[in-house]
Amino acid sequence: MSCSRMNNVSPSTSYQEEASIYELSIRVIEARNIHGTDVVTNPDCYVRLWLPTALKEKKKTRTVWNSTNPVWDETFHFRVHSRVKNILELSLHDEDLGTGDDHLYTVSYDLGNIPLEKTVEESFSLNKELDEDLHVEFHMEIIPETPKKITTNGVLVRPEMAALEVKVDKLRMEPFKKKTELALTVKGSYEDSYRTVFIPSSTTRSNSNETFVFHYPKDWEAELTAGLRRVYPSLDVTFSNEPANEFSNSTTVPLTLISPENEVKIQLPAMEVKPLEMQLKLKECPDNLDVRLGFNLCDKEKEFLQKRQKVVAAALKKVLQLKGDLVGEEVPVVAVMATGGGARAMSSLYSHLSGLQKLGFLDCVTYIAGASGSTWTMSKLYEDSNWSQKNLSESMRKAKKHVTKKKTGAFSMQRLNYYRKELQQIAQEGQKTSFTDLWGLMIESMFHTGRDESKLSDEQVALNKGQNPLPIYLAMNVKQDDMSTLDFKEWCEFSPYEVGLLKYGAYIRTEDFGSEFYMGRLMKRRKEPRICYLQGLWGNVFSLNLVDTWCLTTNLDTFWDQWVKDRIKDIDKEDIRLRRESAHMKTSLFTPSSTFSKILKGVLTKRPIDGEQQNFLRGLHLHKDYIQNPDFSTWKDTHVDAFPNQLTTLAENLCLVDAGYFINASFPPLLRPDRKVDIILSFDYTLDTPLLVMDQTCTYCTMQGIGFPKVSLSEEERKKHKECYIFIDHDNPNAPIVLHFPLVNDTFRKYKAPGVPRSPEEMSEGDVDVSGLLSPYFLTNFTYSERDFDGLMKLTDYNVQNNSQLIVDALRMAVERRKTRNLLSQMYQTRKHSVIDPLLPEQPTKNSMPLPKGLKK
C-alpha cells in the first residue's frame, strides 16, 4: 500500500510507500576557462562524481592534461531510488603528480530536478568573473521492475535490505601449496570486507566450508570483489588493509546479476592450483526494524503516562484543594527542567526537589529533564525505585558526603590502574574508548561509593507503577572535527525506555545503546554501558573545541564566518528555479578554502577528547521530501540541514557532547508536542546570568516555531534579579507556563524561612555567594566546604518555598486551561458531525505563536 502526506502534515509513526528504481545516466561533457592554481602551467583536470545514496565509492573521469578547456565526454550510470533524497556532488580537481591534487570546486545538484524520460543539459557556473563553467548532461528513466516497498516516517527512509551469502567450498578445493589470503569486499555493506587465510596442510580437505554474509541495500549498484594473494613470512596478514581489487588475482561481480531464485558460481584464479570456486546466493531480509521511526511517544512511555496521571491527579486535588477529581485530559502535565553546572547543579537539584516534596508538589510532576551536572543527581536518585516517595534528606546527606570529601583519591595510582583495566575491558569487547569514558569513571570515583553497576534501562523499575516522574537526559550530536557547534547540532534525548535523535524521529531501545545498527536493524548487540559512562557523556565539561570556546566567551562569530567557514553559494539559473519543486534543494557551489584556512579550521574545530558512539542511523537515507516535513523543520536550525550528504545518516559515528555547549538547559525534550507539557519548573544553576538560558531558549523556539512564552522584561526588571520569574504566552495556549528559578540570593539574606526574619546572629548564614569571581561554586570546583554546601542547599530550598504561591497559581491556571481546552474539543467533536458553528474558536496549532518583529521563521 502506498501512503502519502496530505496538506504538509506528516503522520507521527512510520508507514510504507511504494518506490521505483531509476536508471540515471550522467554525461560529463567539458569544462571551460579553468585556470587552476598553478600560475606556470595549465591545469590537469578530472571530475569526481559522488552519489552516496547509490554507491559508496566515487567515480572519476580520466585526466585531461594541460588544458584550460578539458573535454571528457564520459558517461556514468547509477541506480537511483525514487523515494530517497539524491544529491549528486560533482567535484573538479587539478591533478598534481608531485603533491596532492588541488580541489577546485564542488557542485551539489538535486537529481529531483531531472524530469523522467527527458535529457537535461546543465551548465554550472563555477566562477562568473573568470567565466569558468562545467557542462553535464543528465537522463533519467524508470527501470521496469516490480515496485519496491520502503518504510519511512517522512524524514528517514529504510529501503529493502539484501543478504549476499558467499560460500567457499573447502571440501572440493585443491590444497594451496603456499600460505594464501582470500579477501572478499562489498563496499557500502555493513560488513564491508572479510579476510581468511588458507594454510598448506594435508588436512585442508577435511576443513568445513566457510560462509560469509554481506548485508547491503538491495537496490544499490553494489558489487562483490574477490581477490587472492600469497602471504609471505615477512607480511603480517592481520594488519593488511590492501583492497581486494588490488590483489594480483581478483574478480568483480555486479550483485544486480544475482537474484534470490538462482545461485551463481564463480571461479577465482588461484596461481599454482585450480581456480577457487565460490557459490553466491542472495537472500531476502525481514522487513522488521529495530530502530523505531516516528515522532510520537513509544508505547512504554504512553503506559507510564496513564499510571502517572492518576498520581498527579490525586496530588493536584490535594494541593489545590479541589472538590472533584481530575480525569483524563483535565490533568495537566508538569515538568522540571534542570540546567547544567557541574557539582553546583548536582547539589542544587537535590535541594530543589526536596523543596517541591515538602510542599506536596513533587507528585504533581510528570517529567524531569536534565543536562550536564543535573543528570548526575537524576541518575543517582533513580537507583531507588521509590525515591520520590521517601524523604530526600538521606539522599542529600549522601550527596554532601561526596561533594565535601577530597577528590585526590580519584587520581591515586590504585584508581588510575582501575580506570586502565576498565577501558581495556571495553576495548576488548570491540568498542572504542575515549576521554569521555575516562571522565565517566572519574565521576564515579568522585561522587559514588565503590563501583556503580546500574544502567539507564534499570530505571524502568522506578516507573513501572508511575510512582516517580519520568527522567529525560539531554545531549547533543555534533560534528567531531570540521564544524563548530553553532554550525551543526542535533538534540539527542535519553530516557530509561529509548535513546533518540529528535530531528529525525529515530529511536532505539535504551538497552541497545552502543550496539551496532545497519539500515534500521540490530546487527551486533553489545552490553549496555554502565551509567557512569553516560554521566561522562552528558556532563563532559572538557569536550569543547576552540571555536566553541571562542563563541561562548566572546559572543563573536565574525572571525569564523569571514576566515574559516566554508564558502557555499546558490548557483541556480532561472530555468532550474522554474521547474524545481518546493522540496528540491538549491544547486550550490562549494569553493574550498585556502591551505592556511584549512589548517586553521582543523585546529579550531578538532575535538581531541570527545568520544564516538555507534550511529544507529547508519544505512538509512533521507526521504526526498524530508526538508518539508514539519517534524524535521521543528528541530532543524543550521544551514547544514539543507545538505543531506553532510547529515547524520552518512556519518560513521555519533559524536555526543554536553548540551550546555549551545544552551545550558534541557527544554527541548519537554517541548515535543506529544508530551503536552503545561508547566515547566525551570531550575537554572548558571552563575551571574539568571536570564540567559530563558533568552536563548525563547530566541531558539521563536525561530523554530515552537510554542514557548516570550521573555519580555524591561531593563529595570533585568537589573534587579528575582527568585522566581513567571512567563506566560496568553496568545498561545499550547505554549507552556514557565516558572524560572535562577540561582540568586535575594530575600534569603534576611529571612531564614519564608516570613521568618534572621536574628543578628544568623545574618552570616544568609551570605551565600552565588555571583562574582570569588564564588566557591565555580564550574570546575568539585569539592565544597560543609558550610558552602549547606548554604547552597538552604538557599535553593528557600527560593522554592518562598515562591510556592506562584507555583500554586500556575497549577490552577493549567488546570483551567486543560478544562477549557477539553470542553472546546468536546464541543468541536459534537458539532463537526452536525452543524459547523462559525463562532467556535479554531483549535490552536503548534506553530500558532506570533513571531517577534524582525524575525522570520
Side-chain angles (χ1 to χ4, degrees), residues 628-666:
Q628 284 188 305
N629 187 285
D631 293 300
F632 181 88
S633 298
T634 296
W635 303 109
K636 75 176 183 68
D637 66 336
T638 63
H639 77 284
V640 181
D641 292 314
F643 295 88
N645 292 355
Q646 297 187 47
L647 294 182
T648 303
T649 53
L650 291 179
E652 287 295 322
N653 298 284
L654 300 178
C655 181
L656 299 178
V657 300
D658 192 323
Y661 299 148
F662 176 49
I663 299 176
N664 185 30
S666 52

Side-chain angles (χ1 to χ4, degrees), residues 384-489:
D384 185 340
S385 61
N386 290 293
W387 70 267
S388 68
Q389 307 304 312
K390 300 178 180 178
N391 192 305
L392 290 178
S393 58
E394 179 60 19
S395 296
M396 294 173 65
R397 185 191 65 79
K398 292 180 180 178
K400 178 179 179 179
K401 175 183 175 183
H402 291 298
V403 174
T404 57
K405 73 180 181 183
K406 293 183 178 180
K407 303 301 186 293
T408 53
F411 304 95
S412 66
M413 288 302 300
Q414 181 182 4
R415 296 306 294 176
L416 293 176
N417 188 48
Y418 167 72
Y419 302 154
R420 180 180 59 81
K421 291 181 178 179
E422 285 290 302
L423 296 178
Q424 284 180 343
Q425 180 62 36
I426 295 175
Q428 290 172 3
E429 294 170 358
Q431 300 195 62
K432 297 179 180 179
T433 59
S434 67
F435 177 83
T436 300
D437 300 312
L438 176 60
W439 174 237
L441 292 169
M442 294 171 68
I443 293 173
E444 178 186 55
S445 295
M446 290 189 290
F447 301 118
H448 294 265
T449 301
R451 179 185 172 90
D452 185 1
E453 295 289 351
S454 63
K455 301 177 178 63
L456 180 55
S457 63
D458 295 340
E459 296 178 12
Q460 294 182 26
V461 178
L463 307 171
N464 58 7
K465 299 177 183 177
Q467 67 270 41
N468 301 299
L470 174 65
I472 305 174
Y473 308 84
L474 186 64
M476 278 195 314
N477 180 47
V478 298
K479 295 290 186 183
Q480 188 165 23
D481 55 9
D482 62 353
M483 287 187 189
S484 71
T485 301
L486 289 177
D487 280 340
F488 183 85
K489 56 199 171 291

Side-chain angles (χ1 to χ4, degrees), residues 247-264:
F247 283 18
S248 56
N249 294 63
S250 65
T251 188
T252 299
V253 181
L255 299 187
T256 53
L257 301 178
I258 306 173
S259 66
E261 292 77 25
N262 60 69
E263 184 177 286
V264 176

Side-chain angles (χ1 to χ4, degrees), residues 22-286:
Y22 300 149
E23 175 73 23
L24 170 67
S25 299
I26 304 174
R27 180 178 165 226
V28 182
I29 303 173
E30 63 180 350
R32 295 175 185 169
N33 303 318
I34 304 302
H35 293 76
T37 57
D38 196 331
V39 296
V40 179
T41 63
N42 291 327
D44 309 310
C45 292
Y46 64 88
V47 175
R48 284 191 185 276
L49 300 88
W50 187 43
L51 185 56
T53 50
L55 188 67
K56 181 178 180 180
E57 293 186 309
K58 298 179 181 180
K59 296 188 177 184
K60 174 183 175 295
T61 68
R62 70 183 187 280
T63 299
V64 176
W65 301 97
N66 194 32
S67 175
T68 59
N69 298 291
V71 177
W72 298 281
D73 197 17
E74 294 185 45
T75 302
F76 301 87
H77 300 278
F78 296 89
R79 288 170 60 89
V80 178
H81 201 287
S82 67
R83 289 292 172 178
V84 167
K85 175 58 74 175
N86 298 294
I87 302 295
L88 173 70
E89 293 190 10
L90 297 159
S91 56
L92 183 65
H93 301 260
D94 181 2
E95 186 166 342
D96 195 327
L97 297 178
T99 59
D101 297 349
D102 295 319
H103 179 192
L104 304 180
Y105 303 101
T106 292
V107 174
S108 296
Y109 182 71
D110 192 336
L111 296 177
N113 292 321
I114 305 172
L116 288 174
E117 311 298 337
K118 291 185 179 180
T119 299
V120 175
E121 184 174 336
E122 301 283 13
S123 176
F124 300 113
S125 176
L126 305 178
N127 189 319
K128 285 188 177 181
E129 295 179 357
L130 299 177
D131 200 25
E132 296 179 318
D133 51 28
L134 175 67
H135 296 265
V136 183
E137 184 181 270
F138 301 92
H139 183 80
M140 189 104 70
E141 59 184 35
I142 297 179
I143 297 177
E145 295 180 354
T146 303
K148 313 295 181 181
K149 294 289 182 67
I150 59 106
T151 302
T152 181
N153 62 354
V155 172
L156 295 176
V157 171
R158 193 268 195 177
E160 294 178 332
M161 179 193 284
L164 174 68
E165 185 179 90
V166 182
K167 183 184 296 184
V168 180
D169 193 346
K170 286 188 173 183
L171 297 176
R172 297 182 181 181
M173 63 179 283
E174 183 178 340
F176 284 93
K177 297 178 180 179
K178 296 187 177 180
K179 191 175 182 181
T180 304
E181 178 187 15
L182 169 66
L184 302 169
T185 301
V186 177
K187 290 292 184 182
S189 67
Y190 164 72
E191 294 80 6
D192 189 67
S193 64
Y194 288 103
R195 291 174 185 260
T196 186
V197 176
F198 301 101
I199 301 175
S201 170
S202 59
T203 61
T204 300
R205 291 179 179 273
S206 64
N207 289 342
S208 60
N209 296 333
E210 274 197 270
T211 301
F212 308 94
V213 179
F214 293 93
H215 295 86
Y216 66 99
K218 182 179 178 182
D219 297 304
W220 255 29
E221 192 183 355
E223 54 189 24
L224 168 70
T225 301
L228 281 172
R229 72 168 179 181
R230 186 176 298 165
V231 180
Y232 296 96
S234 60
L235 178 65
D236 188 347
V237 70
T238 305
F239 297 96
S240 174
N241 294 314
E242 186 180 353
N245 59 358
E246 295 185 11
F247 283 18
S248 56
N249 294 63
S250 65
T251 188
T252 299
V253 181
L255 299 187
T256 53
L257 301 178
I258 306 173
S259 66
E261 292 77 25
N262 60 69
E263 184 177 286
V264 176
K265 293 185 179 180
I266 64 171
Q267 291 185 335
L268 186 61
M271 293 165 283
E272 303 99 338
V273 300
K274 292 181 180 179
L276 178 64
E277 187 173 281
M278 294 182 291
Q279 291 83 41
L280 311 182
K281 188 174 183 180
L282 197 63
K283 292 187 174 182
E284 300 283 354
C285 293

Side-chain angles (χ1 to χ4, degrees), residues 301 368-370 375 378 456-457 459 470-477 490-502 507-510 512-514 528-529 531 533-535 537-538 613 616 654 656-657 669 672 675:
E301 183 170 342
I368 299 179
T375 64
M378 293 164 57
L456 180 55
S457 63
E459 296 178 12
L470 174 65
I472 305 174
Y473 308 84
L474 186 64
M476 278 195 314
N477 180 47
E490 298 172 335
W491 301 115
C492 181
E493 70 171 41
F494 292 73
S495 83
Y497 300 132
E498 288 188 321
V499 177
L501 292 163
L502 275 60
Y507 299 85
I508 59 172
R509 297 190 320 151
T510 300
D512 296 331
F513 181 71
E528 181 185 354
I531 197 72
Y533 294 113
L534 296 183
Q535 290 172 338
L537 184 157
W538 298 326
Q613 290 77 33
F616 53 86
L654 300 178
L656 299 178
V657 300
R672 287 178 56 185
R675 290 203 166 114

Side-chain angles (χ1 to χ4, degrees), residues 503-536:
K503 186 166 75 179
Y504 302 100
Y507 299 85
I508 59 172
R509 297 190 320 151
T510 300
E511 296 91 327
D512 296 331
F513 181 71
S515 297
E516 294 184 26
F517 289 81
Y518 182 70
M519 294 184 68
R521 292 189 61 193
L522 178 61
M523 305 300 290
K524 182 182 291 185
R525 188 182 299 279
R526 300 189 187 277
K527 291 194 303 183
E528 181 185 354
R530 295 194 293 122
I531 197 72
C532 68
Y533 294 113
L534 296 183
Q535 290 172 338

